[in-house]
Amino acid sequence: MKTILVTGGTGFLGSNLCIRLINEGNKVICIDNNYTGRLDNVKSIIDNPNFTFIKHDICEPLEIDEHINQIYNMACPASPPAYQGKYSIKTTKTCVLGTINMLELAKKHNATILQTSTSEIYGEPIVHPQTENYRGNVNPIGIRACYDEGKRCAESLFFDYHRQEEVDIKVVRIFNTYGPKMNPNDGRVISNFICQALSGQNITIYGDGHQTRSFCYVDDLIEVIIRMMNSEKGFTGPVNIGNPNEFTIKELAEMVINKIGNNSKVIYKDLPSDDPTQRKPDITLAQTKLNWTPKIQLNEGLDKTIQYFKTQINLFRKD
Ligand code: UDP
């Protein structure tokens, strides 16, 4: 039995990971300050004797007595409205101070540590689809920079701890992901569109809707994160993980309207600054090194996600 620490464990991805790790018979220590995570996400495992929740902000050092085998570093506000709003400075602190604290913890425990980096490190990509050796095009002073530059710095810290301190590291770059346990109010496109349609409101497209994203269903993503953590020693990544099927935001809106209907119409709002025009992962490395390909396509994944949001719609805030 492994003891596995998950930071950001009550968030969307963290909670899906904690549940899977518990179901596979591991001991899980879940760390979160619950700024954007929700305890409700882990309610199905909260009484499991192998599961421990510690309310803690990783910007502060963390001591754990029990020996830890693996650390998944997932803590960070991840939706643009969260990291561009009241948590912008906190986002950089979490990426930098929080990552240093977790790398120190990994060093002390001789644990393997995995960083959930992001496609945002590519900024407004000029190379399309994005491969891991593309160095990106980030505006360092824009409203997304706290996240983009924070996550870039976290990657650099990971590789310095690997070179200088011999910490066993793994880095994945996550592209847009959706599915159950998303917060209905986090402001991301899939949660917004589904909750707007379910509550009979208009669907808000930012800009002209021609920008693209490639959406990965959460179960596929959790599978590859676990594969990466348990990959051969010395294979550090970074590895792009996501579903390479690319859609315009307009196409996504049409799919949601076709599935839910409810008289919702599309309305157009201003595009936030530095909103990337296109995004699609090249996943050749994940396919060859981790023997992984996403299985659930958007049509099926949206149906599962709509079912989930039907149970959450009373929480959806109408602005
Ligand atoms: N978006 C939109 N309407 C919304 C929320 C988002 O048109 O209600 C757009 C957003 O401007 C971006 C894309 O959808 O172009 C994906 O946004 P999201 O916040 O989900 O993730 P991002 O990939 O930008 O981090």
Side-chain angles (χ1 to χ4, degrees):
M1 182 191 265
K2 288 193 189 99
T3 300
I4 303 176
L5 188 131
V6 179
T7 77
T10 65
F12 163 46
L13 294 180
S15 59
N16 276 287
L17 177 67
C18 286
I19 292 167
R20 167 102 186 244
L21 293 173
I22 285 287
N23 288 342
E24 289 178 353
N26 299 289
K27 268 187 113 167
V28 172
I29 302 172
C30 167
I31 310 289
D32 210 300
N33 59 11
N34 289 340
Y35 279 22
T36 56
R38 299 179 296 164
L39 261 188
D40 193 57
N41 280 342
V42 290
K43 69 173 182 231
S44 66
I45 50 172
I46 200 93
D47 294 326
N48 188 305
N50 288 332
F51 181 77
T52 309
F53 171 70
I54 302 174
K55 190 159 190 278
H56 177 85
D57 186 330
I58 62 163
C59 294
E60 303 300 326
L62 179 67
E63 301 270 346
I64 302 280
D65 293 335
E66 194 174 344
H67 178 66
I68 299 166
N69 304 102
Q70 296 180 335
I71 301 174
Y72 289 86
N73 190 35
M74 308 183 96
C76 192
S79 94
Y83 65 67
Q84 289 165 8
K86 60 179 177 177
Y87 295 133
S88 58
I89 296 167
K90 188 73 191 172
T91 297
T92 305
K93 283 186 179 169
T94 305
C95 290
V96 179
L97 302 177
T99 297
I100 292 172
N101 288 331
M102 292 309 106
L103 284 161
E104 287 292 331
L105 191 67
K107 186 176 134 189
K108 202 178 276 176
H109 287 257
N110 205 14
T112 305
I113 182 165
L114 180 144
Q115 170 67 359
T116 51
S117 188
T118 166
S119 56
E120 283 286 326
I121 66 106
Y122 299 121
E124 167 69 351
I126 291 163
V127 169
H128 191 76
Q130 292 78 55
T131 46
E132 288 85 353
N133 59 8
Y134 175 49
R135 293 183 186 176
N137 179 28
V138 171
N139 173 5
I141 58 167
I143 55 172
R144 294 176 91 101
C146 57
Y147 189 70
D148 302 8
E149 298 290 11
K151 289 281 188 176
R152 288 174 71 95
C153 185
E155 285 199 17
S156 117
L157 284 164
F158 259 69
F159 279 86
D160 281 336
Y161 268 80
H162 179 58
R163 284 183 288 255
Q164 201 174 314
E165 307 287 349
E166 293 175 9
V167 172
D168 187 17
I169 63 154
K170 311 274 177 194
V171 177
V172 289
R173 293 179 179 155
I174 300 174
F175 284 64
N176 294 64
T177 303
Y178 68 100
K181 306 211 185 301
M182 286 183 104
N183 186 331
N185 295 311
D186 80 359
R188 276 184 264 208
V189 69
I190 289 197
S191 45
N192 271 8
F193 284 5
I194 293 176
C195 292
Q196 286 163 342
L198 286 176
S199 56
Q201 295 182 74
N202 290 331
I203 290 193
T204 53
I205 290 185
Y206 303 159
D208 61 10
H210 291 130
Q211 70 270 38
T212 69
R213 294 294 187 273
S214 308
F215 298 101
C216 187
Y217 188 68
V218 62
D219 291 356
D220 281 330
L221 195 97
I222 296 300
E223 172 65 30
V224 71
I225 288 179
I226 292 174
R227 283 185 190 213
M228 181 62 181
M229 174 61 99
N230 296 294
S231 63
E232 70 192 74
K233 202 173 159 65
F235 178 58
T236 58
V239 180
N240 286 339
I241 56 174
N243 188 320
N245 280 344
E246 189 181 7
F247 294 84
T248 66
I249 296 307
K250 211 170 173 181
E251 285 170 334
L252 176 70
E254 279 156 14
M255 284 175 84
V256 170
I257 287 177
N258 284 340
K259 285 181 185 296
I260 302 175
N262 226 357
N263 293 325
S264 298
K265 298 198 173 37
V266 166
I267 54 168
Y268 291 88
K269 293 197 164 183
D270 290 344
L271 187 69
S273 66
D274 293 333
D275 196 289
T277 313
Q278 54 182 2
R279 187 182 284 158
K280 169 187 165 103
D282 181 319
I283 60 165
T284 311
L285 189 61
Q287 285 170 320
T288 51
K289 290 293 278 192
L290 305 173
N291 193 22
W292 171 84
T293 296
K295 294 195 179 82
I296 299 172
Q297 300 308 337
L298 188 57
N299 189 36
E300 183 189 352
L302 277 181
D303 288 339
K304 291 172 186 271
T305 309
I306 290 167
Q307 287 314 315
Y308 158 73
F309 276 120
K310 281 184 177 164
T311 69
Q312 302 285 309
I313 196 64
N314 55 327
L315 300 176
F316 181 52
R317 202 174 45 229
K318 299 167 189 148
D319 298 321

